[in-house]
Amino acid sequence: MLRTNLTFLSFIERLCETNNESNITLRTFAAGFRFVKQGEKIRNIYIIKDGISKCFISEENGKDFIIEFLGKGEVVGELEVIKKIDCLCNVATISEVTAFVIPDHIFMALTEKNSEFTRLLLQELSTRIIQTSSRASFQQLYTLEYGLLKLLKLQSDEQISISKEDMAAYLGISVRSFNRTLQQIKAKNQDQSLIILLERLG
Amino acid sequence: MLRTNLTFLSFIERLCETNNESNITLRTFAAGFRFVKQGEKIRNIYIIKDGISKCFISEENGKDFIIEFLGKGEVVGELEVIKKIDCLCNVATISEVTAFVIPDHIFMALTEKNSEFTRLLLQELSTRIIQTSSRASFQQLYTLEYGLLKLLKLQSDEQISISKEDMAAYLGISVRSFNRTLQQIKAKNQDQSLIILLERLG
DNA sequence: GTTAAGAAAGGACAATTGTCCCGATTGAAA
DNA sequence: TTTCAATCGGGACAATTGTCCTTTCTTAAC
């Protein structure tokens, strides 16, 4: 649920070191800041160095769907640059986030000239397709209770804490359903590792 | 709903012509044949030259989810080769399908040495992420009736006809729900272009 | 034409989920 | 400490969806 790509991150860090006068910069955003806005143009891509963000689509009916939580090494905006389109998603920070900022033309040049970069990018895009497809299938075909249980376990494993609203948006359900299902899980849960997390969620 | 990539197809066709002794071959599969099996190893990638296939995940609870319908120019198996993993999905033909078959090592060599190929592949993978994410969001956040209506319109526009079972699997619902929702749409429909299709579906 | 078997459609009921709203809780200001 | 407002949780009901099973339709054999 929290996607990361440490290989990609260290590649970018090396690139910055060797390439001092490059146009790659670092920026820090406060928690809760929406640094990419759906529907707008984008001129930079971002690679998260630290912190957690959420990438989400706001539908016309007012509901939000969280595509993924993004951690270290995850890229934002590259699809839009590759396809030359406006932003598909919003991206907002959950914690404070520091990110490398790469102008679109530099990014495109990298995809054309740096074969290691391209290789890593193909890996990243492939992983994303795999995860997105698998999740879509899982969320459509299993019960909410099973899906939420899986989500809680992932959170527990990864030692992160996501708000209820965000978990509901990730599962594509209302907060009401989320709370209801949480009670069911609490009533049944035998898993020691989840008790702390369930306690925190009330 | 029927993804195609004519640019990619013509690139491969040109590649075959110029590169006669290459290891790229053509194969034809009868309708209904499952040519990629979830969980198995894969040694070739396929590029559809003609016909329609479906790419679907079979979940452990016995349900299937159709990731996408694949038409001309769509690639199958490249994620598995890039990530060196077993097949995530099944791929089965719906009509008779003719496909280019490219051995994994040839495919990988192309991604490393042919920058035009890599560029097209990045485009293809990006498109897929965009479509998969948008659809996941849409299907989670809108009503079934709205989703099915959209699906029917797409089918009508693209002049293709998909079985009820496949449409239900694409929407991630039971055939019972599909039928029920179809009746609701029929009762309300004002759209001339859908009448023929709705008639065919009974 | 009749019959039987299998497939498809739909009725009935149960389970799930969303919406609306009220009561409880929290936190800040007085 | 009290009070008020804002947020959060959950009850009640409606709508949606799945499961199970019966009915209807199709088709092939006689």
Side-chain angles (χ1 to χ4, degrees), chain A residues 63 144 173-174 176-177 180:
Chain A
K63 298 179 181 179
L144 183 48
I173 56 168
S174 65
R176 182 70 192 89
S177 293
R180 194 154 30 202

Side-chain angles (χ1 to χ4, degrees), chain A residues 17-85:
Chain A
E17 283 165 21
T18 46
N19 215 342
N20 273 334
E21 75 280 74
S22 82
N23 292 304
I24 304 180
T25 55
L26 259 184
R27 280 185 68 180
T28 299
F29 303 109
F33 180 69
R34 191 181 298 198
F35 64 102
V36 171
K37 292 187 181 119
Q38 186 172 329
E40 296 191 352
K41 309 256 176 247
I42 195 170
R43 292 222 163 64
N44 298 303
I45 71 133
Y46 300 88
I47 292 154
I48 297 177
K49 180 174 154 56
D50 251 310
I52 296 178
S53 299
K54 60 178 174 181
C55 166
F56 63 104
I57 293 182
S58 296
E59 295 287 353
E60 290 179 3
N61 62 7
K63 298 179 181 179
D64 288 345
F65 181 76
I66 295 183
I67 304 290
E68 195 50 278
F69 296 101
L70 308 175
K72 290 186 180 194
E74 283 301 308
V75 203
V76 169
E78 77 302 354
L79 299 178
E80 287 82 356
V81 170
I82 290 173
K83 300 289 297 179
K84 301 192 202 312
I85 55 172

Side-chain angles (χ1 to χ4, degrees), chain A residues 133-144:
Chain A
S133 305
S134 307
R135 178 155 80 99
S137 174
F138 183 87
Q139 287 192 0
Q140 286 283 337
L141 300 184
Y142 284 92
T143 61
L144 183 48

Side-chain angles (χ1 to χ4, degrees), chain A:
Chain A
M1 62 163 310
L2 175 62
R3 204 188 293 135
T4 60
N5 190 336
L6 299 181
T7 318
F8 203 74
L9 181 60
S10 54
F11 177 85
I12 297 296
E13 285 176 333
R14 260 180 289 126
L15 190 70
C16 281
E17 283 165 21
T18 46
N19 215 342
N20 273 334
E21 75 280 74
S22 82
N23 292 304
I24 304 180
T25 55
L26 259 184
R27 280 185 68 180
T28 299
F29 303 109
F33 180 69
R34 191 181 298 198
F35 64 102
V36 171
K37 292 187 181 119
Q38 186 172 329
E40 296 191 352
K41 309 256 176 247
I42 195 170
R43 292 222 163 64
N44 298 303
I45 71 133
Y46 300 88
I47 292 154
I48 297 177
K49 180 174 154 56
D50 251 310
I52 296 178
S53 299
K54 60 178 174 181
C55 166
F56 63 104
I57 293 182
S58 296
E59 295 287 353
E60 290 179 3
N61 62 7
K63 298 179 181 179
D64 288 345
F65 181 76
I66 295 183
I67 304 290
E68 195 50 278
F69 296 101
L70 308 175
K72 290 186 180 194
E74 283 301 308
V75 203
V76 169
E78 77 302 354
L79 299 178
E80 287 82 356
V81 170
I82 290 173
K83 300 289 297 179
K84 301 192 202 312
I85 55 172
D86 296 343
C87 296
L88 294 164
C89 305
N90 300 287
V91 185
T93 58
I94 290 181
S95 62
E96 181 179 278
V97 165
T98 303
F100 291 103
V101 182
I102 307 183
D104 52 4
H105 61 280
I106 303 281
F107 172 79
M108 285 311 288
L110 279 168
T111 67
E112 282 154 21
K113 288 169 191 150
N114 187 318
S115 68
E116 175 65 2
F117 182 81
T118 311
R119 201 181 60 75
L120 290 175
L121 189 59
L122 283 177
Q123 291 281 327
E124 165 71 12
L125 297 185
S126 299
T127 302
R128 248 200 264 181
I129 294 172
I130 292 168
Q131 289 184 1
T132 313
S133 305
S134 307
R135 178 155 80 99
S137 174
F138 183 87
Q139 287 192 0
Q140 286 283 337
L141 300 184
Y142 284 92
T143 61
L144 183 48
E145 185 174 331
Y146 197 52
L148 176 53
L149 191 59
K150 187 169 163 181
L151 181 58
L152 292 173
K153 283 188 178 150
L154 287 171
Q155 261 186 91
S156 170
D157 292 348
E158 294 171 11
Q159 304 269 20
I160 51 177
S161 75
I162 301 291
S163 73
K164 288 188 175 190
E165 290 69 29
D166 283 349
M167 281 194 263
Y170 184 81
L171 295 169
I173 56 168
S174 65
V175 176
R176 182 70 192 89
S177 293
F178 176 90
N179 279 322
R180 194 154 30 202
T181 310
L182 192 64
Q183 296 313 318
Q184 289 169 24
I185 289 178
K186 268 209 262 185
K188 295 184 196 170
N189 179 56
Q190 298 294 326
D191 187 337
Q192 194 61 35
S193 64
L194 283 187
I195 290 180
I196 303 161
L197 179 56
L198 288 169
E199 199 54 42
R200 182 180 68 78
L201 292 169

